[in-house]
Amino acid sequence: DVKVTQSSRYLVKRTGEKVFLECVQDMDHENMFWYRQDPGLGLRLIYFSYDVKMKEKGDIPEGYSVSREKKERFSLILESASTNQTSMYLCASSPPGINQPQHFGDGTRLSIL
Amino acid sequence: QQQVKQSPQSLIVQKGGISIINCAYENTAFDYFPWYQQFPGKGPALLIAIRPDVSEKKEGRFTISFNKSAKQFSLHIMDSQPGDSATYFCAATDYKLSFGAGTTVTVRA
């Protein structure tokens, strides 16, 4: 079974802090993704990566950056956290190719105070 | 703006009934249409998917119907069970996934 592990289930930070969300997958997948999930908006893609050191902007990259130094690990960085970044963050991975099923972690609920 | 429009936002169905969720899109470059199921406290998981050259796909009690000319597709859950209570997301992809807003399905015993 594919396992995508997000380091924290719940996280509380203050505005202006630099926040790191970590994601690790154990299936040697090339593709990794970061989404945020908000009620009434579904899942929105923040960033994705097709390979180590590679990253692509998704639909809502503003205020975020990512890092992929190792194939199994994909980090989401909030450079200076703001209250409008309070959300559920979901990480996913998939095999190479465009129309591959994505396997999701259970999410990190981030609150910015 | 959302590239995939999903309705209804929520629905309640009696055990044994049929749940129907509808989605519509505009981007003709979309070429793969998956549905994801999410239980509370869990990440979404792929439920069923369809390509636009197929009008219907069935897996157990779950059926996708696809109307390419209308740019619409729908999920039917037949003989709905309490264990089907979850949030369902339709999605579409060209080179990345675009999700609908989600439908919370509650199946009453």
Side-chain angles (χ1 to χ4, degrees), chain B residues 44-58:
Chain B
L46 180 66
L47 180 66
I48 187 173
I50 197 167
R51 297 189 185 279
D53 53 348
V54 176
S55 61
E56 185 175 283
K57 183 174 181 180
K58 184 176 181 180

Side-chain angles (χ1 to χ4, degrees), chain A residues 43-74:
Chain A
L43 282 72
R44 292 178 292 166
L45 182 63
I46 304 171
Y47 268 96
F48 59 106
S49 169
Y50 289 137
D51 203 347
V52 176
K53 305 276 189 187
M54 293 183 64
K55 60 184 178 183
E56 296 281 345
K57 292 181 179 179
D59 298 317
I60 52 165
E62 296 79 19
Y64 303 94
S65 62
V66 291
S67 172
R68 193 160 181 206
E69 296 295 319
K70 294 185 177 182
K71 189 176 185 180
E72 68 270 19
R73 186 179 297 270
F74 194 33

Side-chain angles (χ1 to χ4, degrees), chain B residues 74-96:
Chain B
S74 61
L75 177 70
H76 289 61
I77 307 173
M78 313 300 287
D79 186 26
S80 296
Q81 299 297 313
D84 297 332
S85 297
T87 300
Y88 294 82
F89 294 95
C90 61
T93 185
D94 41 14
Y95 69 98
K96 58 182 175 64

